[in-house]
Amino acid sequence: MSEYIASVAWSRQADEEFVDNKYSRAHRWEFDGGLSVAASSSPHIVPLPYSVVENVDPEEAFIASLSSCHMLFFLSIVAKHQIKIDSYIDNAVGVMEKDNQGRMAMTQVTLKPAVKPAAGHKLSLAQLESFHHQAHELCFIANSVKTNIVTEIDYLGET
């Protein structure tokens, strides 16, 4: 068993009534390694000026968490097969909508990994698909959510 710690901190500004629902949703995420991240509600959920566009919102963090977990397992699998990778870029997209129970939920996240093997290293499309499938099966975050996760592979190497 492992434990992970994140601290979320918000405080009301002196000029905010709060009970009128007109208060800043800006807050901070603090992680055990010392990183501090500026966070906020999404402007898609809470309108400006009460959300902060520049800050990370929980929905973006959720998508990034799925993408990052998948990538880390994928890279580990490929490395075990002695295939060198130069780059991995995922422009993942999440869809927020009502689920089957009528509640707002992140119903689908589409991972769009673009993988580029190093010169002289080959990675077949069949291997790529297999490695992504294995990564999905191993990803703790994917195993923890009910969100439908789709992978649209973009292969940047020679076949």
Side-chain angles (χ1 to χ4, degrees):
M1 183 181 92
S2 301
E3 283 189 341
Y4 299 88
I5 299 169
S7 177
V8 177
W10 171 90
S11 60
R12 182 178 61 83
Q13 302 302 307
D15 63 340
E16 295 175 329
E17 282 297 316
F18 183 75
V19 294
D20 61 1
N21 211 29
K22 295 179 180 177
Y23 59 92
S24 174
R25 274 44 169 209
H27 55 283
R28 302 226 44 94
W29 295 347
E30 305 282 338
F31 296 96
D32 57 2
L35 180 66
S36 178
V37 176
S40 174
S41 56
S42 167
H44 296 291
I45 308 298
V46 177
L48 300 174
Y50 308 112
S51 291
V52 181
V53 175
E54 298 82 12
N55 294 9
V56 175
D57 62 59
E59 296 80 11
E60 293 168 330
F62 178 76
I63 295 163
S65 161
L66 284 165
S67 174
S68 181
C69 184
H70 181 95
M71 178 197 70
L72 292 168
F73 275 110
F74 175 86
L75 293 175
S76 174
I77 292 163
V78 174
K80 286 178 185 171
H81 284 82
Q82 301 297 303
I83 301 168
K84 191 183 291 186
I85 300 296
D86 275 348
S87 67
Y88 181 111
I89 299 170
D90 184 3
N91 294 306
V93 177
V95 175
M96 180 82 77
E97 62 186 352
K98 287 189 178 180
D99 66 9
N100 294 335
Q101 289 79 42
R103 297 179 295 198
M104 290 303 288
M106 190 70 66
T107 58
Q108 180 167 306
V109 171
T110 302
L111 305 178
K112 300 180 179 189
V115 177
K116 182 178 180 186
H121 288 260
K122 299 214 183 251
L123 183 62
S124 72
L125 186 55
Q127 283 177 306
L128 192 62
E129 289 172 346
S130 173
F131 296 159
H132 276 296
H133 177 73
Q134 291 173 55
H136 176 71
E137 293 295 313
L138 292 169
C139 175
F140 325 124
I141 308 300
N143 291 333
S144 301
V145 300
K146 63 181 184 177
T147 304
N148 180 37
I149 302 167
V150 177
T151 304
E152 295 177 359
I153 299 167
D154 185 1
Y155 182 54
L156 301 176
E158 299 174 16
T159 54

